Amino acid sequence: MSRFQIFFILFLLITIVTACGRAEKKEVAFSKKPNIVFIMSDDHAYQAISAYSDKLTRTPNIDRIAEGGMLFTNASVTNSICAPSRATILTGKHTHLNGKIDNISKFDTTNVTFPQLFQEAGYQTAMFGKLHFGNNPKGFDEFKILPGQGDYYNPKFITEKGDTIIKGYVTDIITDLTIDWLDNRRDVNKPFLLMYLHKAPHRSWLPAEKHYKEFTQKEFPVPATLFDDYKRISITSPSSGDELNKQGNLNPYSTAAKTAEMNIYKHMTLGYDNKLSREVIEKFGLEDMFYNTGPLDRMDKEQRRSWDSVYDPIIKEFEEKFPGMNDSTLMVWKYQRYMQDYLGTIAGVDENVGRLLDYLEEHDLEENTVVVYTSDQGFYLGEHGWFDKRFMYNESFKTPLLIKWPNVITEGTTEEEMVQNLDFAQTFLEIAGIHAPEDMQGKSMVPLLKGKKERWDRDAVYYHYYEYPGEHAVKRHYGIATKDYKLIHFYYDINEWELYDQKKDPQELHNVYYDPQYAEVREEMTKKLKEIRKKYKDSEELDNYYIQLYEERQRN
């Protein structure tokens, strides 16, 4: 072999080794893109996460995310109702632009969703649990989702291969499906986006066996505003009618709050919600808006036998005590039954979040995985006498948000800046190094996650709720919130304004809109509201457009 041939062979070998090294480095760099696990429950109030407050319950596994990452105390939603919130998360757009303004209207499928962009960028994508709208989510390599609200026991799932019923408890099943995917179908050479979405703790609040046996034995503190009368007289104004009239406020009550149909005493059902039997309800001539045993009817004989062994004694005790109850004691009884079942379902969520976090740790995925825990909105746990959500008042407007990003977020950080579910899409895209579409309306939270607050300049957030007339009768309203104040306009069949001082009145019991001492604040907040509506491309014309759509839908 000639010297030239030897040199040529050596040159080829060096070239091949170098090329392989580069390819290997490229694959490693690609695989080191962070994985994202997005965990969302349904109607999980921040008051029921012990990282925020342990007054009601303990959630040690969800708390692990805050302990290893960041807890947001000013996270909120743009429209506090299930499907619209999810549409905003997926699209990064307010609901007046993505079209999903309420649970009834159709989602505009021409919208680009962030999972599509992840899929196009080479991420492996999967979704398990509750989406709430549609049956073929875009941008996912695999999905198993509940139809609509889904069921707690023996639920049906929609898959790309057809529908299937899986025996068991829904929170456990969703976790089983998620871990099975990670174990058996995850491509180890690709980063992944995994959406792990719980039905719980959505109404009708059916806990798993171990948790209803535990939580039905508990008693919970009653909120200070359980017996709210919905008067909203200013902090500084006298209560006399003459003085209120002089200030221009002819109504000392909040019409929207007073007429809403979500009061625990008046509107929470004794059968569907509190789990009383039809026989007992009829025996005492009690009213029940609807008696629906559908969720319990999905149980098999063994599941129902276990359920009845716990709930029959509760029904019997109520039957004995009811003749001695008054309105107040019945309200408290209903509240306690509500909390027992609601918090029991959350115990199941927390336990299963722990299962997933353990899996990530045990399989060396924790260090390169961003874990997010949130809810589609907040929820009332007896505050103002309510259950449900919808209002721009804090308990439903604010939502829990906990994010863990190892080696990036300083562990145990609390963040008070104002963020929204509108921001999730752009945040995830920036984390993954994917360009966000220009028409997304949110703001990446990455500067906050990295501790660079100087790059965060938001001082207000916008909200708009549409589903009226509708379930729970919460009036249409839009508003703006800053850290200090909140201005809300209720419209359609009323025209009322409410202004709250968030620092002096965190429970939002005193409407200072007509208070002369807040005249400058009212003027400034009104100006800000006009500006933010324009910024997010909302308008009175759009308000009227969606009212017309509603009225046409009613006629048809």
Side-chain angles (χ1 to χ4, degrees):
M1 184 180 294
S2 69
R3 182 178 297 177
F4 173 80
Q5 289 173 317
I6 292 171
F7 278 121
F8 180 74
I9 291 169
L10 286 172
F11 173 78
L12 285 178
L13 287 171
I14 291 168
T15 302
I16 291 168
V17 169
T18 303
C20 289
R22 285 173 181 165
E24 183 180 350
K25 285 179 182 177
K26 185 176 180 181
E27 181 178 330
V28 168
F30 183 74
S31 67
K32 285 299 180 182
K33 280 186 172 243
N35 309 307
I36 297 177
V37 174
F38 180 71
I39 310 171
M40 184 164 70
S41 52
D42 193 318
D43 294 342
H44 191 169
Y46 62 86
Q47 311 94 287
I49 295 177
S50 49
Y52 287 93
S53 170
D54 61 2
K55 184 178 178 180
L56 285 173
T57 195
R58 295 287 304 169
T59 52
N61 292 297
I62 295 171
D63 292 358
R64 286 163 60 184
I65 301 171
E67 290 161 3
M70 184 174 286
L71 176 80
F72 288 83
T73 59
N74 255 325
S76 63
V77 298
T78 64
N79 186 351
S80 185
I81 186 169
C82 299
S85 175
R86 293 158 192 268
T88 290
I89 289 169
L90 288 170
T91 63
K93 297 178 185 177
H94 276 275
T95 51
H96 60 269
L97 293 189
N98 67 44
K100 191 64 179 169
I101 61 164
D102 55 32
N103 277 341
I104 302 164
S105 59
K106 291 183 179 179
F107 176 67
D108 181 357
T109 56
T110 64
N111 282 299
V112 174
T113 65
F114 80 83
Q116 288 177 277
L117 301 175
F118 270 78
Q119 191 179 49
E120 290 170 5
Y123 268 71
Q124 189 179 13
T125 58
M127 175 188 283
F128 302 100
K130 179 182 175 181
L131 174 61
H132 194 141
F133 61 91
N135 57 10
N136 187 23
K138 297 190 298 182
F140 292 97
D141 301 319
E142 182 176 334
F143 64 86
K144 288 184 175 66
I145 58 174
L146 298 164
Q149 294 289 359
D151 291 289
Y152 277 104
Y153 282 85
N154 307 324
K156 178 193 287 187
F157 282 85
I158 299 169
T159 78
E160 60 267 43
K161 297 178 181 178
D163 296 355
T164 184
I165 293 175
I166 303 177
K167 183 180 177 181
Y169 185 67
V170 67
T171 310
D172 299 335
I173 293 168
I174 291 169
T175 309
D176 292 343
L177 295 172
T178 300
I179 290 176
D180 176 67
W181 180 83
L182 286 167
D183 245 351
N184 298 309
R185 291 180 300 288
R186 179 176 70 87
D187 186 338
V188 297
N189 294 313
K190 285 185 176 183
F192 62 83
L193 168 69
L194 175 59
M195 299 189 75
Y196 167 55
L197 311 175
H198 285 294
K199 168 186 171 58
H202 194 280
R203 190 182 186 189
S204 60
W205 317 302
L206 271 62
E209 180 179 348
K210 65 180 290 188
H211 296 124
Y212 64 68
K213 286 182 175 179
E214 175 187 356
F215 278 78
T216 52
Q217 304 303 309
K218 292 178 179 283
E219 187 171 316
F220 300 93
V222 174
T225 58
L226 183 66
F227 295 97
D228 192 348
D229 62 4
Y230 310 117
K231 282 185 179 178
R232 294 294 181 260
I233 297 170
S234 170
I235 302 169
T236 63
S237 67
S239 59
S240 74
D242 290 341
E243 288 299 318
L244 289 170
N245 289 344
K246 287 177 185 177
Q247 293 177 21
N249 182 10
L250 301 177
N251 182 7
Y253 293 92
S254 165
T255 300
K258 193 173 179 62
T259 59
E261 296 176 356
M262 41 197 259
N263 182 273
I264 290 174
Y265 174 72
K266 294 179 181 178
H267 306 113
M268 181 174 281
T269 65
L270 289 163
Y272 183 72
D273 295 318
N274 294 144
K275 320 301 190 298
L276 289 184
S277 66
R278 184 189 298 274
E279 292 75 18
V280 168
I281 292 171
E282 292 178 349
K283 174 181 177 179
F284 294 112
L286 299 170
E287 292 186 8
D288 205 327
M289 292 165 63
F290 62 95
Y291 190 87
N292 182 355
T293 61
L296 296 179
D297 290 343
R298 292 195 66 85
M299 295 179 177
D300 63 26
K301 290 181 179 179
E302 184 179 344
Q303 291 165 339
R304 187 59 188 265
R305 187 162 45 247
S306 174
W307 178 275
D308 289 344
S309 72
V310 172
Y311 284 83
D312 282 354
I314 293 172
I315 296 169
K316 180 67 175 174
E317 183 182 31
F318 176 86
E319 189 175 7
E320 293 169 354
K321 289 185 175 181
F322 178 75
M325 287 183 178
N326 57 32
D327 291 351
S328 296
T329 53
L330 180 57
M331 170 70 137
V332 172
W333 182 88
K334 294 180 78 172
Y335 165 77
Q336 293 294 345
R337 282 293 309 111
Y338 167 36
M339 285 297 92
Q340 289 166 357
D341 290 344
Y342 177 90
L343 295 172
T345 66
I346 285 173
V349 172
D350 184 71
E351 185 178 273
N352 278 280
V353 167
R355 288 178 59 201
L356 182 59
L357 295 179
D358 289 347
Y359 181 93
L360 296 175
E361 291 176 11
E362 292 163 5
H363 291 78
D364 297 323
L365 290 169
E366 181 187 22
E367 286 298 301
N368 194 41
T369 300
V370 178
V371 177
V372 180
Y373 186 88
T374 191
S375 173
D376 50 357
Q377 61 264 322
F379 212 67
Y380 294 99
L381 305 184
E383 299 88 0
H384 305 296
W386 288 333
F387 65 104
D388 208 70
K389 55 252 184 182
R390 302 167 196 269
F391 277 108
M392 196 185 173
Y393 306 132
N394 282 335
E395 289 83 4
S396 56
F397 173 57
K398 288 189 175 183
T399 196
L401 179 61
L402 306 83
I403 303 179
K404 183 180 179 182
W405 187 0
N407 305 312
V408 176
I409 294 175
T410 301
E411 294 183 5
T413 305
T414 297
E415 181 54 72
E416 298 178 354
E417 292 299 325
M418 304 187 81
V419 300
Q420 287 193 292
N421 58 352
L422 182 71
D423 304 322
F424 292 177
Q426 282 154 280
T427 301
F428 301 155
L429 289 167
E430 183 173 348
I431 287 171
I434 303 169
H435 177 71
E438 296 299 323
D439 62 350
M440 284 187 172
Q441 296 183 300
K443 187 177 179 68
S444 171
M445 296 182 286
V446 167
L448 296 178
L449 301 179
K450 292 184 175 181
K452 298 179 179 179
K453 294 182 72 162
E454 69 278 5
R455 290 174 52 194
W456 188 263
D457 59 0
R458 177 184 285 160
D459 65 352
V461 291
Y462 181 61
Y463 181 89
H464 200 153
Y465 175 80
Y466 295 87
E467 195 171 296
Y468 178 85
E471 187 177 3
H472 295 295
V474 173
K475 305 285 189 186
R476 292 177 186 238
H477 60 288
Y478 57 83
I480 183 172
T482 67
K483 289 181 181 178
D484 295 325
Y485 302 102
K486 184 184 294 180
L487 177 64
I488 309 172
H489 181 216
F490 293 94
Y491 70 99
Y492 180 62
D493 59 353
I494 62 172
N495 179 23
E496 292 186 11
W497 292 84
E498 296 181 10
L499 175 64
Y500 294 98
D501 186 326
Q502 296 287 282
K503 295 293 174 65
K504 293 182 179 179
D505 180 29
Q507 292 181 322
E508 298 169 318
L509 297 174
H510 304 283
N511 177 15
V512 297
Y513 186 82
Y514 299 97
D515 189 326
Q517 294 189 27
Y518 284 85
E520 289 185 12
V521 174
R522 180 178 68 234
E523 183 178 349
E524 179 64 23
M525 289 295 288
T526 302
K527 179 184 175 184
K528 282 180 172 287
L529 179 57
K530 289 179 181 177
E531 291 171 349
I532 206 167
R533 286 205 1 127
K534 183 177 180 180
K535 173 184 176 179
Y536 289 122
K537 301 180 181 179
D538 202 3
S539 63
E540 188 175 348
E541 289 75 22
L542 270 178
D543 299 345
N544 292 330
Y545 169 73
Y546 284 118
I547 288 170
Q548 289 172 5
L549 283 186
Y550 165 78
E551 291 173 345
E552 289 173 7
R553 194 165 65 200
Q554 292 302 107
R555 286 194 293 269
N556 296 331

